[in-house]
Amino acid sequence: MPSSPLLQISSVSKTFGGVVALDTTSLELAEGSFTSLVGPSGCGKSTLFNIISGLLPPDGGSVSLEGRDVTGTSGHVGYMLQKDLLVPWRTVMGNITLAASLTRRVTAEDRAQAQAQAERYGLGDFLHHYPRTLSGGMRQRVALMRTLATNQSLLLLDEPFGALDAQTRLDMQQWLLEIWADLGKTVVFVTHDVDEALFLSDRVLVMSPRPGRVVADLTVDVARPRTLATLTDPSFIELKRRVLGLLHRENA
Amino acid sequence: MTSSPQPPVSVVRENARRADAFAPAWPFAKLALWYVASVSLTLLVWQSCIWIFHPAPYIVPTPRATYDVVVSQWSQIWPLALGTFRETIYGYAAGAALGFLLAVAMYKIRVFRSLSYPLIIGSQAIPIIALAPILVLVIGFNIYPTIIVVTWIVFFPVTINTLDGFLNLDPDLLNLTRVLGATRGRRFWFVELPGVVTPLFSGLKIGAAYAVTGAIIGEQAASSGPSLYQFQVAANNQSRTDLVYGITIVMMIIGLLWFAVVTGLDRIFTPWKYRATARRWFRRDKTRNASLTTND
Ligand SMILES: Nc1ncnc2c1ncn2[C@@H]1O[C@H](COP(=O)(O)OP(=O)(O)OP(=O)(O)O)[C@@H](O)[C@H]1O
Ligand SMILES: [Mg+2]
């Protein structure tokens, strides 16, 4: 760890009417890291994100970002929710600049930035299209650009590629790594796909349900940039075996 | 921009402009065509009934006779119809505004919602026929009781539909606005309001269909001068059945016209349902045009 962590979560927990959605959890994230969260449905991944983003006040504990206590307050992280949530009445451009228009007047610079992003990542011809006309992969890309346009250093991505076919998914993963490398963001990524988690991350947190908690914290020591060959790398396969073992044991 | 072969810039721009200008013309033309078709069908059924059952002309006149009498009496009907139309749109505008504002207040202020809901339902349980004379007692014989009756009828569907729309906004979308750090005012303007445009227009359309009924009830109970309703009563007293039918149809046409206007507004305000791209004059960035211009 080079310096103090970007995000520090100290013993947060959340119970919904007797169901422990998230057991007491503590976590630190280093600046510029890429961390994945894997675990079966209902183990509290989205709950953890909701707490970090301030949508949900934790029953106990605290969240601090860059040394500031941000428990229960929102507007300080880029959070891409499980649904893409594009607003149908705004064009691609309008959706990317949504964060700006919700907080202040949208400037020409915001629009130029949105346009540059859209063009760079293959949506240049769709700037003025309504979301209705976009494919699932394009919608996800717009949602991610909207999240990026908030200019927050911490990005929480909740199953952003869950609904995509294998080919599009692979493209999107490459694209995300590109962005991560370009912009030096800190990313937390939720997925059900172990390959995806390992392929993308420096670190993988495995969670288990009832009560939801982190049962393993693994470092992915595989060199970057990663390619298709990485998927068959022995150390990669060994890690995958361990994660699958943990998930399987929890399910049994 | 220079890698692939492209048509001259002026052509591209011209096509784009044309696509924007003509895209909405078609749906309107189509809509008008359907109106014509259903009116023709109604006339056909009407005429067929006469051919089959041979009713006396003082019970059911022919469409042709009805049309002729409306044309011959047009100089009398026209100003009265205009008066009814005026009452309709004044009352409608007030009702739409009141209905919308009530919905917003009920959405934003929970106490107000709980308090006003029974009153709003109650307002519609009062028979309008009973209400109109009371309004005349309070306000007197002028145009206002009629306008208030129309307002009374129109505000209700607007409020109920719009409030439902507000309460059914996707909670995740509202959460997203919090994550993005939205201020209350901007969230309302950019997310909540556009999110209820569709149910708002459902309410406005229902109101448009009922508005003329309100205006005629108002004329019955409250108008001092000549009105379309009184003209119809006079025609009826003189057993001029064709004229009675004709005036009824004129009333219906006023309602249809207003409904068509509201439907048109709906299309204009919800372009994302009918168009693939935003209208050119809604686009905020001029950079795209600029880059096209520098190419030639
Ligand atoms: N608002 C809520 N009210 C009641 N229970 C909730 C609420 N939100 C989540 N839960 C419960 O908390 C548990 C964890 O939910 P959460 O959404 O965090 O799971 P998840 O790991 O994101 O699952 P998935 O992978 O399916 O998205 C679940 O049992 C869920 O039913
Ligand atoms: Mg989830």
Side-chain angles (χ1 to χ4, degrees), chain A residues 42 45-47 82 158-159 190:
Chain A
K45 305 181 295 289
S46 298
T47 303
Q82 213 159 344
D158 196 347
E159 285 187 63
V190 164

Side-chain angles (χ1 to χ4, degrees), chain A residues 50 53-56 72 74-81 83-91 93 98-106 111-112 115 119 124-133 146-147 150 152, chain B residues 1 169-197 269-280 282-289 291:
Chain A
N50 288 339
S53 65
L55 289 181
L56 209 59
S74 47
H76 47 74
V77 297
Y79 181 10
M80 182 173 161
L81 285 85
K83 296 190 252 174
D84 65 53
L85 293 173
L86 299 186
V87 290
W89 53 85
R90 293 186 143 226
T91 60
M93 162 79 81
L98 182 67
S101 57
L102 285 175
T103 48
R104 58 187 165 77
R105 182 174 277 282
V106 178
R111 292 198 193 93
Q115 181 172 359
E119 272 164 8
D125 293 335
F126 290 88
L127 265 184
H128 303 297
H129 279 65
Y130 291 112
R132 188 169 63 84
T133 63
R146 176 173 67 192
T147 311
T150 57
Q152 307 284 5
Chain B
M1 277 284 158
L169 285 170
D170 185 349
D172 283 328
L173 183 57
L174 298 178
N175 274 338
L176 177 74
T177 64
R178 280 176 59 199
V179 168
L180 298 178
T183 63
R184 279 173 66 95
R186 284 176 175 271
R187 178 178 62 203
F188 183 74
W189 186 248
F190 289 114
V191 173
E192 294 171 322
L193 197 53
V196 300
V197 173
F269 278 102
T270 56
W272 63 89
K273 288 198 234 157
Y274 307 101
R275 299 175 54 90
T277 57
R279 267 175 219 285
R280 193 144 277 255
F282 285 163
R283 299 177 188 175
R284 290 290 185 67
D285 73 313
K286 303 299 171 209
T287 35
R288 203 165 182 75
N289 292 347
S291 74

Side-chain angles (χ1 to χ4, degrees), chain A residues 27-29 33-40 45 48 187-208 213-222 224 226 235-236 238-247:
Chain A
L27 206 59
E28 290 185 354
L29 293 178
S33 62
F34 198 123
T35 308
S36 280
L37 227 51
V38 294
K45 305 181 295 289
L48 181 59
V187 176
V188 193
F189 188 94
V190 164
T191 177
H192 284 123
D193 182 341
V194 176
D195 273 330
E196 182 173 63
L198 291 170
F199 183 74
L200 294 173
S201 319
D202 302 320
R203 182 180 173 196
V204 173
L205 302 172
V206 184
M207 293 185 68
S208 82
R213 64 202 157 91
V214 178
V215 291
D217 183 346
L218 308 170
T219 304
V220 185
D221 253 333
V222 179
R224 293 183 189 271
R226 296 173 185 168
S235 57
F236 187 91
E238 167 60 18
L239 272 169
K240 185 174 169 183
R241 201 185 54 73
R242 278 179 63 192
V243 174
L244 286 173
L246 284 160
L247 289 174

